Amino acid sequence: MSLVELIARADERGLAAAGLACSDRCVTLLGGDDETLRPLWGTLMEDSDTARWGDLVAVVRDKLEGAAGDQDGGPGAAPEESAVAEAVALARRMLDTAPDRRTGAELREWADACSVAALRIHRLLDPAQDPEDVDARRAGRTEGMPPLAAAELRRQVTVLELLAEHGAQGLRRALEVSTEGRRVLRAAVSRRARTA
């Protein structure tokens, strides 16, 4: 099943986990660490804990406000700097657009937008070029996909499958997948900085 189909079929917990996992893998671009989004993951354990979601999102936004904001990426910037600056902006947008409530159509829109943004971030930071657009990749056309972006696509699919199959019991493994992805992205950013 394609990523687009998995998002379309996901329940509210699955959508929240999908959007949160994408944000969590990319939070390192904003100066976040393994614990930054952990309280939000905790709210997904209980259906009754949806009310705290909005408050915790606001706390995370405040904590990361202005972080990594010194990435210029302006007209005179080198291509590497521009790519990193764009990746930072996409990561920031994921958090800025997180819905205040963990329910409803806004949650599905956010999960979908986070999926696109996370894939774009990984494409920007992957040294290899991708001949296909992000929508084609999300729809299942994965042949010839660059390795960094391909791994991100697999992680997104895995998180949605875990939540679809196991519900709240799949959250621990989904968090592990996200943590692994965050470390891979952090390494990719470091490698890019060394070669710039």
Side-chain angles (χ1 to χ4, degrees), residues 77-89:
E80 295 81 10
E81 292 174 357
S82 295
V84 172
E86 187 176 344
V88 169

Side-chain angles (χ1 to χ4, degrees), residues 53-160:
W53 171 269
D55 292 339
L56 290 172
V57 167
V59 168
V60 170
R61 283 186 193 132
D62 287 346
K63 182 177 180 180
L64 298 176
E65 185 65 38
D70 56 349
Q71 303 284 352
D72 185 0
E80 295 81 10
E81 292 174 357
S82 295
V84 172
E86 187 176 344
V88 169
L90 287 166
R92 167 103 30 230
R93 194 173 309 136
M94 280 193 266
L95 285 177
D96 287 348
T97 59
D100 293 332
R101 294 170 52 239
R102 212 187 77 204
T103 57
E106 285 183 347
L107 189 60
R108 189 173 305 279
E109 290 171 15
W110 179 64
D112 194 60
C114 286
S115 167
V116 171
L119 280 170
R120 285 188 177 150
I121 286 169
H122 285 76
R123 283 165 56 119
L124 283 164
L125 300 176
D126 199 320
Q129 296 297 307
D130 192 350
E132 294 280 359
D133 64 24
V134 169
D135 290 334
R137 297 313 193 183
R138 289 176 4 109
R141 295 210 315 255
T142 58
E143 187 176 347
M145 199 171 180
L148 192 63
E152 170 59 16
L153 181 67
R154 282 193 302 274
R155 287 185 191 96
Q156 290 190 26
V157 167
T158 299
V159 166
L160 284 160

